[in-house]
Amino acid sequence: MEKHNFKKKFGQNFISDINLIERIINSVEINNNDLIIEIGPGAGSLTKELVKKCKVLAYEIDKELEKKLDNINKEKLNIIWDDFLKRNIKEDISKYKYKKIHLIANIPYYITTPIIEKIIDSKVNFENILIMVQKEVANRFSSTPGNKEYGQITVFLNYYFDIKKLFDVSKNYFYPKPNVDSSILLLRPKKNVKKIKDMDKFLKFIKDCFKFKRKTLKNNLKEYNIEKINKILNKYSLDISVRAEQIPLDIFIDISNNI
């Protein structure tokens, strides 16, 4: 592993602990007739264990890793040497037959949100999405109303997923060692979601609500019809003196749909 020319631009930090790998894999139930998408297999330490479970379709951008991944079961592993963000995922998986599809990824910190947005936009019916992200980001994604980490991205992701933080991972489990600790998140796509009439309007609204986190809705939403918003909030025993971090997803949707 030390011989690899690690590329900072790809956010390369490879898992070096077999116990951690086993814990990650055991976090979700995978059957031999399933399919796993792995983003960024790196040196293949996790991939080697995943192919023991079922077929794996991996996306890797660094061609220099070809030799390291070449000795992994070719019948069970297919690697697409390209940027995951540029791919048509539905097209890539169309040749596979599978019962359930899972996604597992150790996501580089700097492209965490674009990758999750790509997963949402793909419209692929994932059973489980198991991702390793920066601990601070994981706390934000999995937060709940009333907590300081709860924000615009939390509301957005909770519309699509049930999110659970499974466990934290020390930076000492990686080579080269990153500057921060990580966490494993389990995202399960929601089956029934409350309809949002206009997604662009909704996204702008929650962005405006969290514009200044320590300010109340009354101060953040001056360009909106405050009386109308207050009337909707009153249904939930709230008013415009609350901060956005105190409001659950369903109330944001209700307001956005009715203003």
Side-chain angles (χ1 to χ4, degrees), residues 144-146 150-156 158-159 194-198 201-211 217 220-221 224 229 232-233 236 238 242-259:
T144 53
Y150 185 76
Q152 177 190 346
I153 190 67
T154 322
V155 176
F156 171 68
N158 273 271
Y159 177 69
K194 194 172 180 178
K195 187 169 176 56
I196 291 175
K197 290 179 181 177
D198 184 332
K201 179 183 174 183
F202 173 74
L203 293 176
K204 183 185 184 306
F205 177 65
I206 58 172
K207 183 180 180 182
D208 291 338
C209 286
F210 286 96
K211 196 176 201 174
L217 291 186
N220 278 340
L221 301 177
Y224 290 82
I229 292 171
I232 298 167
L233 286 167
Y236 304 95
L238 296 169
V242 300
R243 295 190 181 110
E245 66 188 39
Q246 296 168 266
I247 300 176
L249 168 66
D250 282 355
I251 299 178
F252 279 118
I253 295 173
D254 192 2
I255 297 171
S256 174
N257 283 348
N258 291 286
I259 56 173

Side-chain angles (χ1 to χ4, degrees), residues 4-208:
H4 179 62
N5 177 28
F6 288 93
K7 298 172 182 65
K8 197 172 183 179
K9 66 177 180 176
F10 294 151
Q12 290 179 332
N13 302 98
F14 298 159
I15 301 171
S16 58
D17 185 87
I18 187 62
N19 293 318
L20 171 60
I21 289 166
E22 287 177 0
R23 194 175 178 193
I24 291 170
I25 292 172
N26 291 334
S27 295
V28 291
E29 187 179 327
I30 300 167
N31 297 306
N32 60 11
N33 54 359
D34 291 348
L35 174 66
I36 293 171
I37 287 182
E38 185 186 11
I39 305 172
S45 52
L46 176 60
T47 318
K48 287 173 188 172
E49 301 305 313
L50 290 176
V51 295
K52 294 176 183 176
K53 294 279 189 178
C54 65
K55 286 189 175 180
V56 176
L57 172 61
Y59 292 87
E60 178 54 63
I61 200 169
D62 186 1
K63 280 285 280 184
E64 286 185 28
L65 290 162
E66 197 162 1
K67 283 186 179 178
K68 294 185 185 296
L69 296 170
D70 200 42
N71 61 349
I72 301 176
N73 189 330
K74 289 186 175 62
E75 286 183 16
K76 301 287 286 292
L77 174 66
N78 179 34
I79 301 172
I80 293 177
W81 297 96
D82 198 1
D83 182 350
F84 175 77
L85 293 173
K86 294 177 180 176
R87 302 297 303 187
N88 183 326
I89 309 169
K90 273 203 165 176
E91 198 174 288
D92 290 338
I93 64 175
S94 62
K95 65 179 179 180
Y96 290 91
K97 288 183 179 178
Y98 54 85
K99 187 173 181 182
K100 294 176 181 176
I101 183 167
H102 313 269
L103 186 141
I104 296 179
N106 175 15
I107 298 181
Y109 300 151
Y110 68 98
I111 54 167
T112 299
T113 303
I115 283 180
I116 294 176
E117 287 175 345
K118 175 77 173 180
I119 292 166
I120 292 168
D121 291 341
S122 75
K123 302 286 195 293
V124 173
N125 187 25
F126 289 104
E127 181 74 14
N128 297 292
I129 298 164
L130 197 68
I131 56 173
M132 188 186 305
V133 297
Q134 185 176 340
K135 184 177 176 181
E136 181 187 332
V137 173
N139 290 341
R140 204 178 308 145
F141 286 4
S142 61
S143 187
T144 53
N147 292 299
K148 63 179 182 179
E149 293 92 351
Y150 185 76
Q152 177 190 346
I153 190 67
T154 322
V155 176
F156 171 68
L157 292 180
N158 273 271
Y159 177 69
Y160 294 98
F161 307 107
D162 289 315
I163 303 172
K164 185 179 181 183
K165 187 167 102 161
L166 300 184
F167 54 89
D168 295 326
V169 180
S170 167
K171 57 190 172 186
N172 297 317
Y173 285 114
F174 299 91
Y175 187 90
K177 184 161 74 171
N179 296 323
V180 295
D181 292 332
S182 300
S183 299
I184 299 289
L185 283 182
L186 176 61
L187 282 63
R188 283 210 162 106
K190 289 182 175 176
K191 305 296 182 190
N192 299 303
V193 291
K194 194 172 180 178
K195 187 169 176 56
I196 291 175
K197 290 179 181 177
D198 184 332
M199 182 55 78
D200 289 337
K201 179 183 174 183
F202 173 74
L203 293 176
K204 183 185 184 306
F205 177 65
I206 58 172
K207 183 180 180 182
D208 291 338

